[in-house]
Amino acid sequence: MKMTLLLVLSVCAFTAAAESLVRKFDFDRNTEAWYAPPYWSGKLTHSREAKSGGGSAKLTAAPKKDQTYGRMVSQNLTKLALAGRKFKITFYAGGKGELFAGMLAATVNSRGKNDYKLMLSETPLALTPEWRKGEAVFDFSEIAPVTLSMIFELKGEGEALIDEVRLIDLADSSVGMRPATPHLVISEKDSVPPICFNTAKPDTEASVMVFNRSRKMVRYPVKSDTSGNIVWQGANIGAGLNHVTAAMNGATCDIPVSVLPPAEFAAFDELARKIKTADKVNILWLGDSLCDFDRSFNAVDKLSFWLNKYNPGKFHIENRAVRGDYILRVEERMLGRKCFAPAAYDNLWNKPYDFIVIQLGNNDCAATTNNRFASPVVATEKVVPAYERLLKLIRKHSSAKLIVTSATYPDVPLMTRNGERALGKYFFARFGMEQFVVPFNTAVKEFAAKNGAEFVDLHTPMKEGYAGENYVDGIHLSETGHTLMSRILLTHFANRK
């Protein structure tokens, strides 16, 4: 991995790249998503001194063994596709000492375990009482991190005030990288079909990186053809979710490939064969983070693969799911009121739909430590009226068949343990409490029956198929969780009358 630290007056070597903001931290009220782990040295606090705004992060060095340093780290950037990317960290800092910017990357080794590597810029920013700007560039064109965090390290005695931290993507926009192959699902006994990428750069060197979370990445040097296409076909595909990522000058494109055991693949295939249509079918998906996160390989993407398997190009799912959504917030956004991610519904009705799916309930039924888990976000008596109001809004624009789902079944044992641990100590949102989920699901089912909508019970089969490995954090789904949810949804479409 290549890295450079540039001071404010320096010229960045990647001037041809289109810079797009990935993350920003202004530390106006607190240290946000940064912390100083106890296994490292140093102390992280919030300061009212700032380059701009209401505050900054204050990192103080401390002795540990034979070194004196301070180190702060951000939360993992796990929702980003990281392989082949180029990033720049910009920041302002003042104080005393030498400050290094860096990244903590985890890559999968040959044993299927994570190797963590701390990478710091070669040149530090010399701190002064005046605010100075630093820039650190990181090139991951030849490695495939599965997790990545930002780092600041203060070496020697001193303290640093850090403000206006930005993580910037340095992809070359002129590459025009895009997938020509959608998300694939194959059987373990089948060979991998050709996987194709389109670019605007003919006859140009590139890389294809193939990896999953249990196998070490293998990098293949490739070259686009005279039309700018990159085609890869190989055998380095393991069970579960694989990522086939093409990279060219910081521009990347990932095509996920899910590999299922033969019996499980055959069960999906049998359902998919039941679905036949000669017409185009447009589906609008209004959901929460379960279908917003992991785009390109989540349950909606897997459903799309199977719907199209024997109906190529016929089914299109317009996925407008938004993380954190619950029925009242969906209503607010559709009304154009102030809410989280208002642009998520821009041009929502610019095409006709045959089906509209409302997949909610997890956040509606969530309870928090604020009232000791005493009540859900949406009271049960408000559920049916809210759905009926939303239906009226939908009917102003569409006569599509409505499909509503229950809340899912999260990792309830984990949620219970973590909730009990959090009480009286820190904020925690607990999902899946049966005393809230069961009445919610009953209310949604009653709404469906009353209003001619179809109802999909996600909760019961996900409870029956419960396994801790179906979740990444107790509520959001892993590859096996997305696969389970997609099978329930596919079963509904296969068996509809």
Side-chain angles (χ1 to χ4, degrees), residues 163-443:
D163 201 1
E164 295 187 14
V165 177
R166 304 289 185 265
L167 179 65
I168 298 168
D169 184 10
L170 292 178
D172 182 350
S173 58
S174 68
V175 171
M177 183 85 70
R178 60 190 185 278
T181 304
H183 174 43
L184 291 175
V185 183
I186 64 174
S187 169
E188 287 179 345
K189 68 178 184 180
D190 294 336
S191 58
V192 183
I195 295 174
C196 306
F197 306 85
N198 297 140
T199 79
K201 298 285 188 180
D203 299 313
T204 303
E205 300 293 332
S207 297
V208 170
M209 289 172 275
V210 182
F211 60 98
N212 65 25
R213 286 186 176 265
S214 61
R215 300 185 69 185
K216 187 175 182 179
M217 183 270 289
V218 178
R219 178 177 174 268
Y220 299 87
V222 295
K223 189 176 183 179
S224 59
D225 63 20
T226 55
S227 298
N229 300 317
I230 296 171
V231 180
W232 177 87
Q233 186 174 18
N236 188 50
I237 293 287
L241 178 66
N242 297 266
H243 294 274
V244 180
T245 302
M248 183 186 289
N249 196 23
T252 66
C253 182
D254 178 62
I255 297 177
V257 181
S258 295
V259 181
L260 298 179
E264 188 175 7
F265 182 91
F268 271 97
D269 194 68
E270 183 179 355
L271 291 169
R273 287 177 183 275
K274 295 181 180 180
I275 302 168
K276 295 291 183 181
T277 182
D279 302 318
K280 293 273 189 179
V281 179
N282 287 320
I283 302 172
L284 173 62
W285 199 279
L286 306 176
D288 58 25
S289 57
L290 268 65
C291 297
D292 184 13
F293 289 173
D294 300 331
R295 286 181 183 258
S296 76
F297 61 91
N298 64 28
V300 173
D301 300 298
K302 296 181 191 305
L303 174 64
S304 179
F305 170 84
W306 289 108
L307 291 175
N308 283 290
K309 191 170 193 299
Y310 295 103
N311 307 278
K314 297 297 185 182
F315 284 88
H316 170 73
I317 302 180
E318 183 75 18
N319 186 354
R320 297 296 187 100
V322 180
R323 62 200 69 191
D325 262 9
Y326 49 93
I327 186 63
L328 298 179
R329 195 162 80 177
V330 171
E331 180 187 13
E332 290 172 349
R333 190 180 297 111
M334 201 167 288
L335 285 167
R337 295 174 181 168
K338 185 178 180 180
C339 66
F340 175 74
Y345 287 0
D346 283 357
N347 303 313
L348 188 66
W349 306 111
N350 65 352
K351 67 180 69 173
Y353 299 107
D354 301 285
F355 296 93
I356 296 176
V357 180
I358 302 176
Q359 171 267 310
L360 297 170
N362 298 304
N363 299 301
D364 307 70
C365 298
T368 74
T369 46
N370 287 344
N371 64 357
R372 301 186 64 83
F373 310 123
S375 61
V377 169
V378 179
T380 302
E381 63 271 17
K382 294 183 178 181
V383 173
V384 171
Y387 271 79
E388 290 180 338
R389 292 194 303 271
L390 182 62
L391 179 58
K392 288 181 180 179
L393 292 173
I394 289 171
R395 289 296 176 242
K396 292 180 180 179
H397 305 276
S398 175
S399 59
K401 184 66 178 180
L402 186 65
I403 301 174
V404 294
T405 78
S406 71
T408 64
Y409 183 83
D411 191 340
V412 172
L414 178 63
M415 282 287 157
T416 301
R417 292 195 302 272
N418 288 347
E420 292 172 351
R421 188 180 299 122
L423 276 174
K425 298 178 182 176
Y426 50 85
F427 177 83
F428 183 76
R430 183 173 167 185
F431 299 89
M433 296 179 71
E434 291 283 291
Q435 63 266 42
F436 304 137
V437 171
V438 172
F440 176 91
N441 290 344
T442 299

